[in-house]
């Protein structure tokens, strides 16, 4: 037949179409418009434009043969999901083991490089545990060596329990610290984590701010640690010398006098809270001026207990007519004048008829340390 001979490819090449295996044209549902792929100069190895389908080829897929992906002879409506071809690859993964780790089979979520399975990137920010700090450089196995990915606990202690148990500065376990590591630690600062002492019943101040945990907690007691000064400073208390606290009856409530958190020195003792409030020249006296005998508790408060020597050395009037009786009468009078209780009036003690008519004067010296004005006393007349 010549005239009216059909010009469609299949009119001559139908048998080739039917027996084609790479790919299986008939099974694949290819049409018989051979010229869609073949030319008269290229019958075998005809190119197929995959870009005209719903699955354009890229990367290693470009070098694949038709039979590599269509060994099942399915071309029309072939599934385009990765796992439809790569289920075996998924099942055989080991780092991590995808099938037991709960990874989805949407391969392109991590495997974005069409040229290689390797170097896949998992976006942890899409999980309940976004990575930060040192976690960003960790490998999958660093945290998932147990093979658990799906449902992996996100509590710090689930990975860092051994570090908690072996911590020594401070001793976390012995101290009763909770395992909420993020309370003090961050992913960028694991060693040297700050502890907020202000959130406790003992906020730090002064030199305490520079102290290390171990300075105050060498006994490994953190929970319910006593907050009294002497619980840490008993030795300091025992070793005091000016004054000697332990033998002087001082209490161990250090903060009563030591109000400067930066130094023990310069402590202030409030004498007004004692039985002997200080006044006058006593205000400028040092502790040792009055307590050189080391006695603080039960110290006598009588003036003579400190000033007996001064009293003994006073040039008292030497009456000849009044005798010893008159001299003795001057003793309580002198003490009253020294205390400022009375103004110096010799006539208060010596009768007028016995005062010297010539107004002879005898000066009584000042008593050191007391607010006493010098005053004149008339000497008893020689009558």
């Amino acid at each position: 037949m010549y005239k009216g001979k059909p010009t469609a490819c299949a009119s001559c090449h139908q048998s080739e179409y039917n027996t084609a295996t790479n790919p299986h044209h008939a099974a694949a549902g290819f049409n018989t418009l051979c010229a869609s792929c073949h030319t008269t100069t290229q019958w075998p190895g005809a190119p197929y434009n995959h870009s005209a389908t719903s699955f354009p080829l890229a990367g290693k897929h470009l070098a694949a043969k038709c039979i590599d992906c269509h060994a099942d002879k399915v071309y029309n409506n072939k599934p385009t999901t990765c796992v439809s071809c790569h289920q075996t690859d998924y099942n055989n993964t080991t780092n991590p083991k995808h099938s037991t780790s709960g990874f989805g089979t949407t391969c392109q979520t991590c495997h974005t490089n069409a040229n290689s399975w390797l170097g896949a990137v998992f976006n942890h920010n899409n999980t309940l545990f976004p990575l930060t700090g040192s976690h960003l450089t960790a490998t999958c196995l660093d945290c998932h060596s147990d093979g658990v990915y799906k449902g992996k606990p996100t509590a710090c202690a689930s990975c860092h329990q051994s570090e908690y148990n072996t911590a020594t500065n401070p001793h976390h376990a012995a101290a009763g610290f909770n395992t909420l590591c993020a309370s003090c630690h961050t992913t960028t600062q694991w060693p040297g984590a700050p502890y907020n002492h202000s959130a406790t019943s003992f906020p730090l101040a002064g030199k305490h701010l520079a102290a290390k945990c171990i300075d105050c907690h060498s006994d490994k007691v953190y929970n319910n640690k006593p907050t009294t000064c002497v619980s840490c400073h008993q030795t300091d208390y025992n070793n005091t010398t000016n004054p000697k606290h332990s033998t002087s009856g001082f209490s161990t409530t250090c903060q009563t006098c030591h109000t400067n958190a930066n130094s023990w020195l310069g402590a202030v003792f409030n004498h007004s809270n004692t039985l002997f409030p200080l006044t006058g020249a006593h205000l400028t006296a040092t502790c040792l001026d009055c307590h050189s005998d080391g006695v603080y508790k039960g110290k006598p408060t009588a003036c003579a207990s400190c000033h007996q020597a001064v009293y003994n050395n006073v040039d008292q009037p030497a009456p000849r007519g009044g005798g010893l009786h008159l001299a003795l009468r001057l003793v309580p009078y002198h003490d009253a004048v020294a205390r400022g209780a009375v103004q110096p009036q010799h006539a208060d003690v010596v009768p007028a008829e016995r005062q010297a008519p010539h107004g002879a004067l005898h000066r009584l010296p000042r008593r050191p340390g007391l607010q006493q004005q010098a005053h004149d006393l008339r000497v008893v007349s020689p009558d």
Side-chain angles (χ1 to χ4, degrees), residues 311 327-337 339:
Y311 177 87
L328 291 176
R329 289 183 65 191
L330 285 172
V331 173
Y333 172 78
H334 181 276
D335 284 342
V337 171
R339 292 197 307 273

Side-chain angles (χ1 to χ4, degrees), residues 236-248:
D236 297 302
Y237 174 91
N238 294 338
N239 293 337
T240 52
T241 57
N242 182 23
K244 182 71 175 176
H245 291 27
S246 56
T247 59
S248 301

Side-chain angles (χ1 to χ4, degrees), residues 317-349:
R320 284 175 288 177
L324 179 61
H325 178 70
L326 179 58
L328 291 176
R329 289 183 65 191
L330 285 172
V331 173
Y333 172 78
H334 181 276
D335 284 342
V337 171
R339 292 197 307 273
V342 298
Q343 294 298 317
Q345 296 292 331
H346 194 80
D348 292 342
V349 179

Side-chain angles (χ1 to χ4, degrees), residues 119-131:
V121 178
F122 180 77
N123 188 357
H124 231 284
N125 292 330
N126 293 330
T127 70
L128 296 175
F129 193 82
L131 301 184

Side-chain angles (χ1 to χ4, degrees), residues 149-163:
Y149 292 82
K150 188 176 183 179
K152 177 76 175 178
T154 58
C156 302
S158 65
C159 278
H160 298 290
Q161 185 67 51
S162 62
E163 293 167 280

Side-chain angles (χ1 to χ4, degrees), residues 271-272 277-286:
H271 229 283
S272 297
L278 301 183
T279 60
H282 283 163
L283 288 169
T284 59
T286 66

